[in-house]
Amino acid sequence: MKIINIKLSSIEDIRTLVDSVTLCPYDVELSSGSYTIDAKSIMGIFGLDLSKSITMTAFTDDCSELLERIGDFVLSQE
């Protein structure tokens, strides 16, 4: 499992994230406050507080391809 803090600033950022995550064969979740949603759900993302950073959890040991695609949104990794 890999935990990454991201920041989405525009609708285009959201579209890029969803397109990138959809290519992943593993589950990816986004969390903001007490809400957790499937990162492949564009409608779910709009329910999150996008003014703050979002925690993304990738349920895999190797998400290097995903990180390459969303590198512009990554604030930090654990």
Side-chain angles (χ1 to χ4, degrees), residues 31-36 48 53:
S31 301
S32 177
S34 62
Y35 296 101
T36 300
L48 298 175
S53 67

Side-chain angles (χ1 to χ4, degrees), residues 3 12 15-16 18 21 26-27 31 38 45 47 67-68:
I3 299 173
E12 187 60 37
R15 180 181 297 140
T16 300
V18 171
V21 171
Y26 46 84
D27 290 333
S31 301
D38 182 349
I45 294 173
L67 289 173
E68 284 180 33

Side-chain angles (χ1 to χ4, degrees), residues 7-19 42-43 45-46 50 73:
K7 178 71 174 155
L8 301 172
S9 303
S10 69
I11 293 172
E12 187 60 37
D13 291 352
I14 294 169
R15 180 181 297 140
T16 300
L17 176 72
V18 171
D19 289 345
I42 196 163
M43 294 304 290
I45 294 173
F46 284 110
L50 299 177
F73 315 132

Side-chain angles (χ1 to χ4, degrees), residues 43-63:
M43 294 304 290
I45 294 173
F46 284 110
L48 298 175
D49 183 359
L50 299 177
S51 67
K52 300 178 184 175
S53 67
I54 297 169
T55 302
M56 182 174 78
T57 305
F59 292 93
T60 184
D61 291 328
D62 181 19
C63 61

